[in-house]
PDB file of all heavy atoms in Angstrom:
ATOM      1  N   LEU B 401     -47.818   8.569 -29.916  1.00  0.00           N
ATOM      2  CA  LEU B 401     -47.284   7.577 -30.887  1.00  0.00           C
ATOM      3  C   LEU B 401     -45.997   6.902 -30.361  1.00  0.00           C
ATOM      4  O   LEU B 401     -45.364   6.118 -31.013  1.00  0.00           O
ATOM      5  CB  LEU B 401     -47.029   8.202 -32.268  1.00  0.00           C
ATOM      6  CG  LEU B 401     -48.244   8.080 -33.183  1.00  0.00           C
ATOM      7  CD1 LEU B 401     -49.351   9.053 -32.755  1.00  0.00           C
ATOM      8  CD2 LEU B 401     -47.892   8.289 -34.644  1.00  0.00           C
ATOM      9  N   GLU B 402     -45.582   7.308 -29.158  1.00  0.00           N
ATOM     10  CA  GLU B 402     -44.424   6.724 -28.529  1.00  0.00           C
ATOM     11  C   GLU B 402     -44.571   6.921 -27.042  1.00  0.00           C
ATOM     12  O   GLU B 402     -45.064   7.937 -26.602  1.00  0.00           O
ATOM     13  CB  GLU B 402     -43.147   7.393 -29.023  1.00  0.00           C
ATOM     14  CG  GLU B 402     -41.852   6.810 -28.519  1.00  0.00           C
ATOM     15  CD  GLU B 402     -40.607   7.533 -28.997  1.00  0.00           C
ATOM     16  OE1 GLU B 402     -40.719   8.255 -30.008  1.00  0.00           O
ATOM     17  OE2 GLU B 402     -39.550   7.381 -28.324  1.00  0.00           O
ATOM     18  N   SER B 403     -44.178   5.953 -26.277  1.00  0.00           N
ATOM     19  CA  SER B 403     -44.309   6.074 -24.900  1.00  0.00           C
ATOM     20  C   SER B 403     -43.230   5.269 -24.172  1.00  0.00           C
ATOM     21  O   SER B 403     -42.813   4.201 -24.601  1.00  0.00           O
ATOM     22  CB  SER B 403     -45.647   5.486 -24.377  1.00  0.00           C
ATOM     23  OG  SER B 403     -45.734   5.382 -22.970  1.00  0.00           O
ATOM     24  N   SER B 404     -42.727   5.859 -23.093  1.00  0.00           N
ATOM     25  CA  SER B 404     -41.686   5.118 -22.340  1.00  0.00           C
ATOM     26  C   SER B 404     -42.384   4.218 -21.337  1.00  0.00           C
ATOM     27  O   SER B 404     -41.683   3.589 -20.530  1.00  0.00           O
ATOM     28  CB  SER B 404     -40.740   6.109 -21.610  1.00  0.00           C
ATOM     29  OG  SER B 404     -41.484   7.034 -20.900  1.00  0.00           O
ATOM     30  N   GLY B 405     -43.687   4.191 -21.352  1.00  0.00           N
ATOM     31  CA  GLY B 405     -44.393   3.255 -20.457  1.00  0.00           C
ATOM     32  C   GLY B 405     -45.209   3.912 -19.373  1.00  0.00           C
ATOM     33  O   GLY B 405     -45.774   3.247 -18.507  1.00  0.00           O
ATOM     34  N   ASP B 406     -45.295   5.204 -19.440  1.00  0.00           N
ATOM     35  CA  ASP B 406     -45.949   5.999 -18.360  1.00  0.00           C
ATOM     36  C   ASP B 406     -47.278   6.600 -18.828  1.00  0.00           C
ATOM     37  O   ASP B 406     -47.855   7.428 -18.157  1.00  0.00           O
ATOM     38  CB  ASP B 406     -45.042   7.041 -17.749  1.00  0.00           C
ATOM     39  CG  ASP B 406     -44.508   7.983 -18.890  1.00  0.00           C
ATOM     40  OD1 ASP B 406     -44.875   7.777 -20.046  1.00  0.00           O
ATOM     41  OD2 ASP B 406     -43.764   8.926 -18.539  1.00  0.00           O
ATOM     42  N   HIS B 407     -47.753   6.215 -20.007  1.00  0.00           N
ATOM     43  CA  HIS B 407     -48.959   6.784 -20.550  1.00  0.00           C
ATOM     44  C   HIS B 407     -50.051   5.691 -20.607  1.00  0.00           C
ATOM     45  O   HIS B 407     -49.848   4.637 -21.273  1.00  0.00           O
ATOM     46  CB  HIS B 407     -48.722   7.381 -21.914  1.00  0.00           C
ATOM     47  CG  HIS B 407     -49.884   8.175 -22.510  1.00  0.00           C
ATOM     48  ND1 HIS B 407     -50.410   9.254 -21.875  1.00  0.00           N
ATOM     49  CD2 HIS B 407     -50.605   7.938 -23.630  1.00  0.00           C
ATOM     50  CE1 HIS B 407     -51.432   9.697 -22.599  1.00  0.00           C
ATOM     51  NE2 HIS B 407     -51.543   8.924 -23.657  1.00  0.00           N
ATOM     52  N   HIS B 408     -51.157   5.906 -19.896  1.00  0.00           N
ATOM     53  CA  HIS B 408     -52.157   4.818 -19.854  1.00  0.00           C
ATOM     54  C   HIS B 408     -53.569   5.401 -19.974  1.00  0.00           C
ATOM     55  O   HIS B 408     -53.796   6.533 -19.582  1.00  0.00           O
ATOM     56  CB  HIS B 408     -52.039   4.066 -18.482  1.00  0.00           C
ATOM     57  CG  HIS B 408     -50.671   3.549 -18.235  1.00  0.00           C
ATOM     58  ND1 HIS B 408     -50.099   2.593 -19.041  1.00  0.00           N
ATOM     59  CD2 HIS B 408     -49.690   3.935 -17.367  1.00  0.00           C
ATOM     60  CE1 HIS B 408     -48.870   2.346 -18.610  1.00  0.00           C
ATOM     61  NE2 HIS B 408     -48.572   3.197 -17.616  1.00  0.00           N
ATOM     62  N   ARG B 409     -54.462   4.563 -20.451  1.00  0.00           N
ATOM     63  CA  ARG B 409     -55.867   4.953 -20.485  1.00  0.00           C
ATOM     64  C   ARG B 409     -56.417   5.087 -19.064  1.00  0.00           C
ATOM     65  O   ARG B 409     -55.934   4.432 -18.131  1.00  0.00           O
ATOM     66  CB  ARG B 409     -56.717   3.911 -21.241  1.00  0.00           C
ATOM     67  CG  ARG B 409     -56.393   3.800 -22.697  1.00  0.00           C
ATOM     68  CD  ARG B 409     -57.341   2.822 -23.408  1.00  0.00           C
ATOM     69  NE  ARG B 409     -56.861   2.611 -24.792  1.00  0.00           N
ATOM     70  CZ  ARG B 409     -55.915   1.795 -25.169  1.00  0.00           C
ATOM     71  NH1 ARG B 409     -55.304   1.060 -24.282  1.00  0.00           N
ATOM     72  NH2 ARG B 409     -55.555   1.667 -26.413  1.00  0.00           N
ATOM     73  N   ARG B 410     -57.391   5.933 -18.967  1.00  0.00           N
ATOM     74  CA  ARG B 410     -57.973   6.128 -17.599  1.00  0.00           C
ATOM     75  C   ARG B 410     -59.484   6.017 -17.719  1.00  0.00           C
ATOM     76  O   ARG B 410     -60.081   6.108 -18.794  1.00  0.00           O
ATOM     77  CB  ARG B 410     -57.606   7.528 -17.071  1.00  0.00           C
ATOM     78  CG  ARG B 410     -56.177   7.566 -16.611  1.00  0.00           C
ATOM     79  CD  ARG B 410     -55.794   8.888 -15.927  1.00  0.00           C
ATOM     80  NE  ARG B 410     -55.843   9.965 -16.903  1.00  0.00           N
ATOM     81  CZ  ARG B 410     -56.254  11.188 -16.631  1.00  0.00           C
ATOM     82  NH1 ARG B 410     -56.704  11.478 -15.445  1.00  0.00           N
ATOM     83  NH2 ARG B 410     -56.321  12.121 -17.592  1.00  0.00           N
ATOM     84  N   GLY B 411     -60.138   5.915 -16.565  1.00  0.00           N
ATOM     85  CA  GLY B 411     -61.552   5.602 -16.543  1.00  0.00           C
ATOM     86  C   GLY B 411     -62.429   6.785 -16.952  1.00  0.00           C
ATOM     87  O   GLY B 411     -63.428   6.611 -17.688  1.00  0.00           O
ATOM     88  N   TRP B 412     -62.046   7.978 -16.606  1.00  0.00           N
ATOM     89  CA  TRP B 412     -62.925   9.102 -16.829  1.00  0.00           C
ATOM     90  C   TRP B 412     -62.017  10.346 -16.636  1.00  0.00           C
ATOM     91  O   TRP B 412     -60.916  10.279 -16.083  1.00  0.00           O
ATOM     92  CB  TRP B 412     -64.094   9.147 -15.840  1.00  0.00           C
ATOM     93  CG  TRP B 412     -65.244  10.027 -16.247  1.00  0.00           C
ATOM     94  CD1 TRP B 412     -65.612  11.242 -15.624  1.00  0.00           C
ATOM     95  CD2 TRP B 412     -66.200   9.838 -17.272  1.00  0.00           C
ATOM     96  NE1 TRP B 412     -66.708  11.757 -16.204  1.00  0.00           N
ATOM     97  CE2 TRP B 412     -67.099  10.925 -17.224  1.00  0.00           C
ATOM     98  CE3 TRP B 412     -66.393   8.835 -18.190  1.00  0.00           C
ATOM     99  CZ2 TRP B 412     -68.178  11.048 -18.093  1.00  0.00           C
ATOM    100  CZ3 TRP B 412     -67.454   8.949 -19.096  1.00  0.00           C
ATOM    101  CH2 TRP B 412     -68.342  10.060 -19.055  1.00  0.00           C
ATOM    102  N   PHE B 413     -62.457  11.475 -17.136  1.00  0.00           N
ATOM    103  CA  PHE B 413     -61.599  12.652 -17.018  1.00  0.00           C
ATOM    104  C   PHE B 413     -62.478  13.788 -16.430  1.00  0.00           C
ATOM    105  O   PHE B 413     -63.698  13.828 -16.613  1.00  0.00           O
ATOM    106  CB  PHE B 413     -61.076  13.109 -18.354  1.00  0.00           C
ATOM    107  CG  PHE B 413     -60.497  12.044 -19.189  1.00  0.00           C
ATOM    108  CD1 PHE B 413     -61.146  11.578 -20.350  1.00  0.00           C
ATOM    109  CD2 PHE B 413     -59.324  11.379 -18.829  1.00  0.00           C
ATOM    110  CE1 PHE B 413     -60.638  10.533 -21.077  1.00  0.00           C
ATOM    111  CE2 PHE B 413     -58.745  10.401 -19.586  1.00  0.00           C
ATOM    112  CZ  PHE B 413     -59.421   9.925 -20.711  1.00  0.00           C
TER     113      PHE B 413
END
Side-chain angles (χ1 to χ4, degrees):
Chain B
L401 269 74
E402 183 181 342
S403 170
S404 55
D406 54 0
H407 186 60
H408 306 293
R409 293 184 188 82
R410 286 184 295 143
W412 196 251
F413 314 109

